[in-house]
Structures are given as C-alpha cells and as structure tokens.
Amino acid sequence: MVAIIAYAVLGAMLMNDWAVVAASGVPLETAITDMAAANQPYSAIPGAVFASLGIVLALAWGVATISRRATLPIWATASMWAGILALGAPAFFFTAFGNMNSVGDTYYNWNAEAAFALEAPLYMASGVAFLGATATMLAALAMPVLRKKPSPRPGHGTGETA
C-alpha cells in the first residue's frame, strides 16, 4: 500500500509543482502568473485527483489483500498491485499533460528534459511493475500445466502391452 500511495503523492507533487518549476526554470508562482498572462491554464486539480485515486486504489488493494471474504491467491494480489503501479504511468501522463502543455506554450525555451528527468522514476517503476504483472499472470497460467502429471503411455507401468 505504501508504494502505491507514495507513487500517487509523488506524481501529484510532480505534475502540480516540481515538473512545472523544472520545465519553466522559474518559481511556481512566477510560472503560474506567466501562464495566466499567456492565457494558458494551470490547475492543481489533476494532481489532487491523481493522488486521491491512487490512495483509494491502494486502500482498496490493501482491504482486498487482507480481507477474509476476498481470499485471493497470491498471484492475484501481486498482479493487482503491479497492475495498479503499471497503470500509474498512463494516468500520470494524461493528468500532467495540461500543465506541461501550458508551460510549453508559455515559455519558448522551456526545458522538457528537466521535467522528464524528474518524472522518469515514475515511468520506470510503472515499466518494471508492468513486467512483474505480466510475469505473474503468465506464471499463474503456466502453473496448472506444470503441475499436470503426464498420463501413462500404454505398456509403461500400466500392465498393458503395446
């Protein structure tokens, strides 16, 4: 739960503050004033929504994991956790897009690389989580096949002759 909550809060801080400052190269208050003067919107709402939904998903995952009513196999809880983190990247991209687009439209010499350098750990965590979710699901699908005992062939230990 802590990892999902940390991802959500970090993402909100990045899209509402740190990435805007890094990309614009000015303090947040100055960037917001400059964006308003250029008729470019800035909003902290997407970050608040991102953080809130992340916290709700973390709590829901935690309840589903420890609840006796929802006894899920280990592979299911692991893949749900990894799935939530993996889907964090596209959710982050779309919710952060508005503020970053406004920075780019306001400052002709904006530093997209500086913003991405701050955001890269979130994208990497989501990529690793995606691989983990995929591996977990594939392992869960393969387990019944691996556990299945081969049927005896005629003439090999059954008393039959070929």
Side-chain angles (χ1 to χ4, degrees):
M1 282 181 23
V2 172
I4 297 170
I5 291 171
Y7 188 107
V9 172
L10 179 61
M13 295 300 295
L14 282 167
M15 74 178 71
N16 286 347
D17 189 346
W18 301 333
V20 173
V21 170
S24 66
V26 297
L28 182 62
E29 296 77 24
T30 305
I32 293 170
T33 302
D34 291 348
M35 287 189 282
N39 289 326
Q40 295 298 320
Y42 167 85
S43 178
I45 294 173
V49 169
F50 184 82
S52 299
L53 288 176
I55 292 168
V56 167
L57 285 171
L59 295 174
W61 175 83
V63 168
T65 301
I66 61 174
S67 173
R68 290 182 185 247
R69 288 186 182 180
T71 11
L72 298 172
I74 292 173
W75 68 266
T77 58
S79 63
M80 282 174 42
W81 178 84
I84 291 168
L85 285 180
L87 292 174
F92 175 80
F93 176 82
F94 288 112
T95 52
F97 187 82
N99 286 345
M100 285 295 98
N101 190 52
S102 293
V103 170
D105 288 348
T106 302
Y107 299 97
Y108 73 93
N109 60 346
W110 72 302
N111 192 350
E113 292 82 18
F116 184 73
L118 293 175
E119 297 166 348
L122 288 182
Y123 290 119
M124 287 189 290
S126 288
V128 170
F130 175 78
L131 294 174
T134 303
T136 303
M137 297 292 280
L138 290 174
L141 290 172
M143 288 309 281
V145 174
L146 295 174
R147 287 185 187 151
K148 188 176 181 181
K149 294 180 182 177
S151 58
R153 292 181 290 173
H156 290 85
T158 60
E160 298 177 11
T161 57

